[in-house]
Amino acid sequence: MGPVVLLDTGPLVSFLATGLEHHEWATEEWKRLRPPLLTCEPVLTEASFLLKREGRDTDPLFALLVRGVIRIGLSIQDQQADLRALMRRYRNRPMSLADACLVRLSRWTATSEFIAATATG
């Protein structure tokens, strides 16, 4: 696999939800990125929650998965020991399971970019 982009919750939600503070930025970023963008299930869970909280439909999120624009890059079941170790290592810092998954992905992919931002300001 060549260089990839890791996708965090904020840019995903901002891209899908017009009217949010970072929507224009996210849309411009997405225009220059090459699919598939790698992410993880916790990012999708967070994105789904935030979209619903903003009164948005989650169907476009699933459409990105179906079309192969975003792809799940790791299995939590397979990586649980390493994820647990990461969360223990950074226990004094705010690290969600989504963060740990993206850090883990960054360590074993030829990552060219990591796209992250605050989704709802």
Side-chain angles (χ1 to χ4, degrees):
M1 177 183 300
V4 297
V5 176
L6 300 182
L7 179 63
D8 202 359
T9 306
L12 178 56
V13 171
S14 292
F15 174 72
L16 292 173
T18 57
L20 291 184
E21 180 181 352
H22 300 292
H23 177 71
E24 280 187 40
W25 169 83
T27 300
E28 289 304 312
E29 288 295 306
W30 278 66
K31 288 178 185 177
R32 67 178 189 76
L33 301 174
R34 291 190 154 171
L37 309 180
L38 289 186
T39 195
C40 58
E41 290 167 337
V43 165
L44 300 179
T45 300
E46 289 177 353
S48 177
F49 172 80
L50 290 172
L51 287 167
K52 285 301 208 179
R53 187 177 76 181
E54 292 293 321
R56 312 299 174 106
D57 189 9
T58 57
D59 194 57
L61 176 67
F62 289 98
L64 291 173
L65 282 166
V66 169
R67 292 186 358 237
V69 175
I70 58 177
R71 197 183 82 192
I72 306 299
L74 65 75
S75 164
I76 292 173
Q77 184 69 36
D78 294 343
Q79 299 295 317
Q80 63 183 310
D82 291 320
L83 294 170
R84 186 177 189 184
L86 269 171
M87 293 189 78
R88 282 182 173 163
R89 181 176 178 192
Y90 295 104
R91 74 178 68 202
N92 294 328
R93 297 186 167 134
M95 176 181 264
S96 68
L97 182 56
D99 296 334
C101 289
L102 292 172
V103 168
R104 182 73 181 129
L105 272 170
S106 75
R107 290 184 177 174
W108 45 279
T109 61
T111 305
S112 62
E113 288 188 63
F114 179 72
I115 182 167
T118 304
T120 56

